[in-house]
Amino acid sequence: MRPPRARYFNTTGPCDPRRHYMLPPVQRLPQAREIIEMDRYFVLHAPRQTGKTTMLRTLASELTAEGDIAALMFSCERAKAAGDDVAWAESILLEALHQAAEWAGWPEELLPPDPWPQAPPGTRFGSALTKWCHRCPRRVVLFLDEIDALQGNSMVSILSQLRDGHNARPGDRPFPTSVVLCGLRDLRDYKVASGGDPGRSNPASPFNIITKSLRLGDFTADEITELYGQHTRATGQEFAKDAVDRVFELTQGQPWLVNALAHEITFEMGVTGTITREQVEDARERLIRARATHLDALAARLHEPRVKRVIEPIVAGTSPGLDVAFDDDASYVHDLGLIRGTADLRIANPIYQEVLLRVLGDRTERFVRADPRLFVLPDGRFDLPRLLEEFVVFWREHGEVLIRQEGYHEAACQIILMAFLHRLVNGGGHLDREYAAGTKRLDVLVRWPYTGPEGERRIQREAMELKVWRANENDPLPDGLAQLDRYLDRLTISTGVLVIFDRPPEAPPWKERGAFEQATSPSGRQVTVLRV
């Protein structure tokens, strides 16, 4: 007998319990089964690579095995090519449904008809489902995965046929007793696509049966511990508690990131022995630098107008829009997984924070010519004062041009300094950045490891606060000093740097910008202020 295959952390495609470490999928969303038992139609949405497909596949298998339901999951992804061609979209979906039923290994009496009955375009999908439900001895439940792939008239037609079939049950017309639309988008978008008013109840729409759609959430800290514990039980290799805690801090439980960090450490880095917090930090940096497909796909969204309208005030620390259009954009960006929530306009997790700023700063980094080794002191510590002096030279030479070229104009100052820091710090240290809409600041912590005089490992920490003096606003110095105080209190650091970018029309000429001064914070700290 062949020995069982070793399991590993999955970062591509649906999970298989025989091959991958994974949490029980259905337990992540127990409400789904309850709503299906009530014969309801509903939406399940979540960002990509959070476990939607794995959960639906497992739930369909469990429901079918119980004997009362024929539950089938199939993907709508190929129908994207059909665009507005309703007939083509219907053919693709029915073929995908038939293939899924065959691959499920069902007995003959449960399988859909072959071939599907013919009907005019715009009615064929619903008619085919009616024919199948009429001959199937069980209740039919459908999971339409990747529903977002449907476009334009095809989306409207498919949802309208589902609505018509839903309204004709249970007496006049056999039809699936429960349908789950699974994708990125929230309930509101499907109501719009099927002709409903997102702000009002519409008795003709199957998607108002529940008060809200279901969202598959991220892992909790305990769930990460359980997932990593599976690796420990299989291999004997442990994750130190502070390593697991750091994974949760960095990922906020985003499932792909949780698995990707563990895969990077256990496979790509080939770590042996207990996994430490420091190795988690190394894996984080490797992931970000490699721009894995998941991270690259998110980064590619940054220049979509809807995404830019939400992300720009977050990076700039400015107040977001107050109109309904901004609310719609925030919901869209939340559905993509880029922000924590529509009311809490913060980037979803520290890894995404870092990726977004690096992507936005790519152009600036190409202008940075300084050698990072020039900013390391003889004792191994980082020379922050020299770096700031070098930034003044860089800002005078390139700042005006870079601001004009930056697509995220309101956040240009922050993006440029962050790119400069990243280019010169990240070879030997780490940057931790905090930013959110409405805060009017961006906080930066430089962590620089070096060796002490006795050979001990030490971490140098330098804190900075970035603010922008915009037109028609008061000098931000007083608020900046108070905010820097609170940041230093939280970090337990005695001093820091406040950087103020002067943007009013009366600001000095570019060649004259860059003045250093010492200031006293409200708590009595002596801090450095740089005005550029």
Side-chain angles (χ1 to χ4, degrees):
M1 179 181 294
R2 294 177 61 185
R5 293 175 60 183
R7 292 193 297 164
Y8 57 90
F9 291 99
N10 185 31
T11 59
T12 56
C15 288
D16 179 343
R18 297 166 299 179
R19 302 168 56 213
H20 306 132
Y21 302 121
M22 58 183 287
L23 299 173
V26 179
Q27 292 181 20
R28 294 184 61 199
L29 202 70
Q31 311 99 302
R33 173 183 278 269
E34 296 170 4
I35 298 173
I36 289 169
E37 294 291 348
M38 298 167 66
D39 294 344
R40 298 291 179 89
Y41 287 26
F42 63 98
V43 169
L44 169 65
H45 74 107
R48 293 199 182 282
Q49 295 184 296
T50 53
K52 299 186 300 295
T53 300
T54 298
M55 197 279 286
L56 291 179
R57 180 181 291 173
T58 304
L59 181 56
S61 178
E62 290 183 3
L63 289 170
T64 302
E66 291 168 7
D68 181 53
I69 289 174
L72 188 66
M73 186 205 79
F74 69 100
S75 174
C76 305
E77 189 168 11
R78 284 182 292 169
K80 184 174 183 177
D84 285 322
D85 189 332
V86 174
W88 188 14
E90 289 177 310
S91 295
I92 292 173
L93 293 183
L94 291 174
E95 176 63 23
L97 197 158
H98 215 291
Q99 285 182 349
E102 291 178 344
W103 293 340
W106 283 357
E108 182 69 27
E109 66 269 18
L110 298 185
L111 293 175
D114 186 13
W116 291 105
Q118 294 300 313
T123 66
R124 188 180 177 214
F125 185 70
S127 298
L129 295 183
T130 295
K131 182 72 172 179
W132 179 24
C133 292
H134 181 75
R135 61 177 274 177
C136 184
R138 301 187 187 183
R139 296 155 56 206
V140 173
V141 172
L142 288 182
F143 301 115
L144 280 69
D145 197 17
E146 301 288 351
I147 185 68
D148 312 86
L150 292 174
Q151 305 287 313
N153 291 336
S154 297
M155 170 75 85
V156 172
S157 177
I158 296 301
L159 295 187
S160 297
Q161 291 179 67
L162 290 174
R163 177 190 62 207
D164 292 345
H166 168 272
N167 290 344
R169 343 162 282 162
D172 299 336
R173 176 182 176 186
F175 210 71
T177 59
S178 183
V179 171
V180 184
L181 303 180
C182 183
L184 281 174
R185 298 158 64 184
D186 201 351
L187 172 70
R188 183 181 194 285
D189 296 290
Y190 299 113
K191 285 186 177 181
V192 172
S194 60
D197 182 339
R200 302 174 60 185
S201 176
N202 177 6
S205 172
F207 308 113
N208 69 349
I209 292 176
I210 59 170
T211 56
K212 63 178 181 179
S213 58
L214 300 183
R215 191 175 199 269
L216 190 61
D218 294 326
F219 294 158
T220 65
D222 288 343
E223 286 174 331
I224 296 175
T225 300
E226 164 57 24
L227 181 69
Y228 287 4
Q230 294 178 19
H231 174 78
T232 299
R233 291 191 291 274
T235 67
Q237 183 179 40
E238 296 185 347
F239 286 78
K241 184 181 184 307
D242 63 344
V244 179
D245 291 344
R246 184 56 176 160
V247 168
F248 182 69
E249 291 171 7
L250 291 172
T251 66
Q252 293 298 295
Q254 204 285 334
W256 186 88
L257 292 176
V258 170
N259 277 280
L261 285 174
H263 175 77
E264 192 72 24
I265 295 167
T266 59
F267 183 78
E268 299 294 345
M269 293 165 57
V271 171
T272 58
T274 300
I275 294 165
T276 66
R277 181 187 178 100
E278 289 73 21
Q279 289 160 344
V280 171
E281 294 286 358
D282 291 343
R284 159 194 173 270
E285 184 61 26
R286 287 166 60 101
L287 274 186
I288 293 172
R289 287 183 177 177
R291 292 265 180 91
T293 302
H294 171 86
L295 298 177
D296 218 29
L298 287 177
R301 300 272 191 176
L302 289 178
H303 296 290
E304 291 182 17
R306 297 182 72 182
V307 174
K308 178 177 177 289
R309 282 194 291 271
V310 176
I311 300 299
E312 186 169 27
I314 294 176
V315 178
T318 54
S319 297
L322 300 176
D323 58 348
V324 174
F326 183 86
D327 293 342
D328 291 344
D329 293 340
S331 294
Y332 173 69
V333 176
H334 180 236
D335 288 346
L336 293 177
L338 283 169
I339 59 175
R340 294 185 188 179
T342 55
D344 184 14
L345 292 181
R346 298 174 182 270
I347 302 301
N349 57 66
I351 290 181
Y352 286 2
Q353 280 187 337
E354 186 68 18
V355 169
L356 299 191
L357 280 178
R358 292 196 194 183
V359 170
L360 293 174
D362 276 347
R363 181 188 292 111
T364 295
E365 280 199 51
R366 291 196 289 269
F367 284 80
V368 180
R369 297 285 183 259
D371 186 343
R373 292 172 295 184
L374 297 176
F375 305 97
V376 181
L377 296 168
D379 62 2
R381 292 181 300 117
F382 184 67
D383 192 346
L384 182 61
R386 181 169 182 177
L387 180 139
L388 294 174
E389 291 171 357
E390 186 69 23
F391 177 71
V392 169
V393 174
F394 178 84
W395 184 251
R396 288 171 176 171
E397 182 176 355
H398 301 293
E400 187 174 15
V401 172
L402 289 172
I403 285 178
R404 282 203 307 265
Q405 293 179 350
E406 177 54 56
Y408 277 58
H409 188 72
E410 289 298 307
C413 297
Q414 294 92 329
I415 291 169
I416 293 168
L417 178 53
M418 288 300 94
F420 188 87
L421 284 172
H422 170 252
R423 174 70 178 81
L424 299 178
V425 170
N426 266 48
H430 299 282
L431 292 174
D432 297 330
R433 331 185 206 213
E434 298 179 16
Y435 51 94
T439 60
K440 296 185 177 181
R441 69 181 191 276
L442 189 152
D443 298 328
V444 186
L445 175 66
V446 177
R447 293 182 290 118
W448 186 267
Y450 70 101
T451 302
E454 304 299 325
E456 74 278 17
R457 188 173 186 273
R458 293 185 177 182
I459 301 292
Q460 176 188 355
R461 298 190 302 159
E462 303 283 357
M464 302 171 60
E465 180 131 345
L466 281 57
K467 293 186 72 68
V468 178
W469 188 356
R470 303 182 189 278
N472 302 316
E473 291 185 356
N474 295 326
D475 187 345
L477 178 62
D479 286 344
L481 290 173
Q483 291 168 338
L484 180 58
D485 245 348
R486 292 193 290 271
Y487 187 44
L488 296 175
D489 283 342
R490 184 152 53 89
L491 297 173
T492 63
I493 297 178
S494 60
T495 189
V497 177
L498 174 62
V499 179
I500 298 177
F501 292 91
D502 290 337
R503 297 297 301 276
E506 62 274 15
W510 282 92
K511 297 299 183 182
E512 298 177 13
R513 299 187 188 188
F516 289 91
E517 61 184 88
Q518 294 298 306
T520 303
S521 72
S523 69
R525 286 186 174 94
Q526 292 300 304
V527 300
T528 299
V529 177
L530 168 60
R531 290 183 181 272
V532 288

